[in-house]
Amino acid sequence: MFKHIDFYVVTDDGEIAVDVKSSSDVECIWIELKNVRGNKGWLYGEATHICFDVPLVNKMVMVEREELAAYIAENCQKEFVAKDEAYLKLYTRQGRADIITFVKLYDLFYLPSFKIYRHE
């Protein structure tokens, strides 16, 4: 919950720490900057990689967490909007301390670490 790591994978290049997120909609992949308690969200956790499970297209997408954080820092407007307008803008739910935004699956294609995997 605090480190935001679901599992570790040993690769030829060493160990990676993965946080898995589920998304039923390729048009709306939510990114958590602050959690419901106002603490740092999973975007700033200790995972090295974020894996988005997108069952609708039978795929999993993985990116480096720091690359995604840099992309959000560079492209997300620091303006709070309604939920349906939160594409690369900030949104918070009433009565909660979270701050989230959303990206589209194709936004992740341009990150150098982008990898896509098919469900088996």
Side-chain angles (χ1 to χ4, degrees):
M1 182 166 88
F2 297 103
K3 290 185 177 186
H4 301 284
I5 297 171
D6 289 320
F7 60 89
Y8 296 89
V9 176
V10 177
T11 70
D12 292 339
D13 297 323
E15 184 177 79
I16 63 172
V18 181
D19 190 6
V20 178
K21 302 298 171 195
S22 182
S23 180
S24 59
D25 183 354
V26 296
E27 291 297 317
C28 192
I29 296 176
W30 288 98
I31 310 292
E32 180 187 72
L33 289 76
K34 286 193 176 188
N35 67 21
V36 295
R37 291 175 301 285
N39 298 325
K40 68 180 180 177
W42 58 257
L43 183 61
Y44 305 110
E46 295 181 28
T48 58
H49 291 74
I50 305 295
C51 187
F52 297 98
D53 182 14
V54 189
L56 183 66
V57 293
N58 201 34
K59 303 278 190 273
M60 294 189 83
V61 171
M62 189 161 59
V63 296
E64 290 180 5
R65 182 194 54 77
E66 289 183 354
E67 266 184 14
L68 179 58
Y71 177 82
I72 294 299
E74 184 176 319
N75 294 285
C76 185
Q77 297 176 30
K78 308 302 185 246
E79 140 187 24
F80 284 89
V81 296
K83 182 179 181 179
D84 62 339
E85 299 170 354
Y87 173 64
L88 290 172
K89 294 182 181 177
L90 303 176
Y91 170 68
T92 189
R93 296 178 287 180
Q94 187 173 14
R96 309 242 177 144
D98 59 355
I99 298 177
I100 56 180
T101 187
F102 75 83
V103 297
K104 298 180 181 184
L105 182 61
Y106 65 78
D107 293 324
L108 305 179
F109 292 175
Y110 302 101
L111 298 178
S113 65
F114 175 85
K115 290 190 179 1
I116 192 163
Y117 303 95
R118 193 183 79 197
H119 285 185
E120 294 297 326

